[in-house]
Amino acid sequence: MDLYTKKDKSILQKVIIILLEIAIIGISYWILFLGGYHKLFHSIGVDGNETRHLILFIFNLIVFIRVCITMFYLLKRRIPWEEAFSIPLAFAIYYIGFALLGYKTNSPTNFVTAFAIILFLVGSYLNTGSELMRDHWKEKQEHAGKLYTSGLFKYAMHINYFGDFLWICAYALITRNVYAISIPIFIFCFFVFYNIPKLDSYLANKYGQSFEIYRKKTRKFIPFIY
């Protein structure tokens, strides 16, 4: 967690991340709308549901916009070069992976699709919205060095990660492909068993008693549950 203590604009790394993500989104467009799926797998026949393809691509664009906000507005720490390449690779799982998994699904869009769209929007708000609120709070001089525990973070210590989990679940629901479930399951385990414990350890060392009080009265990941 040394990264969190090192402030740096890392402009070149951020530009590379954005350029790579644009290229990956371009591949997803090729898969969904330009016959890329059939060229990759030498398949013929069913093209799936065009509305589903459009929804998946709109999801990609919204996620990309949120990544841009994070990169150029919210993220203040240094970005190592290895992270400049690993971040786009991770997002390729969403942009390309879900496009491949959902391409041939020809079931009609229905209430499940509507629920997935709502879930995606809620998850996006919980993630980016919570971080924007925290950033606005931390910009005030009187809050320097203090732990942020209000806004959406009063409902869960890592509400931003929970938001990530929700919009990834929404992607999986849109595909209507049982294999897509493996991606949100992996993300859940990654957050709960790896990322959150490491971040909690860093926050405990940085904020001491303030963090301990916060931890005792606040759910860790899922509001009101866990």
Side-chain angles (χ1 to χ4, degrees):
M1 286 295 170
D2 289 341
L3 286 176
Y4 289 90
T5 64
K6 298 177 180 179
K7 305 294 183 182
D8 188 81
K9 292 183 178 180
S10 300
I11 296 297
L12 186 55
Q13 292 94 319
K14 292 177 180 179
V15 169
I16 288 174
I17 288 171
I18 296 305
L19 291 176
L20 288 174
E21 293 227 2
I22 290 172
I24 294 167
I25 288 176
I27 295 172
S28 76
Y29 184 88
W30 175 70
I31 290 169
L32 291 168
F33 303 112
L34 300 179
Y37 183 94
H38 296 299
K39 292 175 183 177
L40 284 173
F41 298 102
H42 305 288
S43 66
I44 57 174
V46 179
D47 281 329
N49 185 297
E50 292 182 359
T51 302
R52 178 170 287 103
H53 297 170
L54 181 60
I55 293 170
L56 285 168
F57 190 71
I58 290 173
F59 278 12
N60 289 349
L61 293 178
I62 293 173
V63 171
F64 174 70
I65 291 169
R66 291 174 45 240
V67 168
C68 290
I69 293 171
T70 299
M71 287 294 114
F72 294 108
Y73 181 71
L74 292 171
L75 195 61
K76 308 293 194 303
R77 66 170 176 80
R78 179 179 67 86
I79 300 177
W81 276 108
E82 60 270 22
E83 193 175 356
F85 295 97
S86 63
I87 289 175
L89 182 63
F91 277 86
I93 297 173
Y94 314 134
Y95 299 150
I96 296 176
F98 285 120
L100 293 173
L101 288 167
Y103 182 82
K104 279 208 159 188
T105 303
N106 57 10
S107 58
T109 51
N110 54 18
F111 71 94
V112 176
T113 308
F115 175 74
I117 292 172
I118 294 170
L119 192 67
F120 180 85
L121 295 175
V122 170
S124 297
Y125 171 72
L126 290 180
N127 177 259
T128 303
S130 65
E131 295 190 5
L132 286 169
M133 292 177 200
R134 179 171 59 185
D135 183 76
H136 178 71
W137 186 87
K138 283 183 171 290
E139 286 296 321
K140 296 180 179 179
Q141 190 172 358
E142 64 267 27
H143 297 152
K146 294 181 180 179
L147 177 65
Y148 179 66
T149 62
S150 55
L152 294 171
F153 282 92
K154 69 184 176 183
Y155 300 108
M157 294 163 56
H158 304 283
I159 192 73
N160 51 338
Y161 293 160
F162 180 60
D164 276 333
F165 175 67
L166 290 185
W167 64 255
I168 293 167
C169 285
Y171 262 111
L173 280 174
I174 287 291
T175 68
R176 304 289 284 275
N177 186 321
V178 67
Y179 295 108
I181 300 172
S182 61
I183 298 175
I185 289 175
F186 170 78
I187 293 299
F188 179 87
C189 293
F190 174 77
F191 282 148
V192 171
F193 300 112
Y194 177 76
N195 211 39
I196 287 176
K198 286 190 69 174
L199 183 52
D200 281 355
S201 177
Y202 164 78
L203 293 172
N205 288 332
K206 181 175 181 179
Y207 295 106
Q209 188 63 23
S210 296
F211 179 74
E212 291 304 319
I213 294 171
Y214 179 48
R215 172 155 49 188
K216 288 178 182 178
K217 68 178 183 180
T218 311
R219 297 297 183 182
K220 188 179 293 290
F221 182 55
I222 305 174
F224 314 111
I225 299 175
Y226 168 71

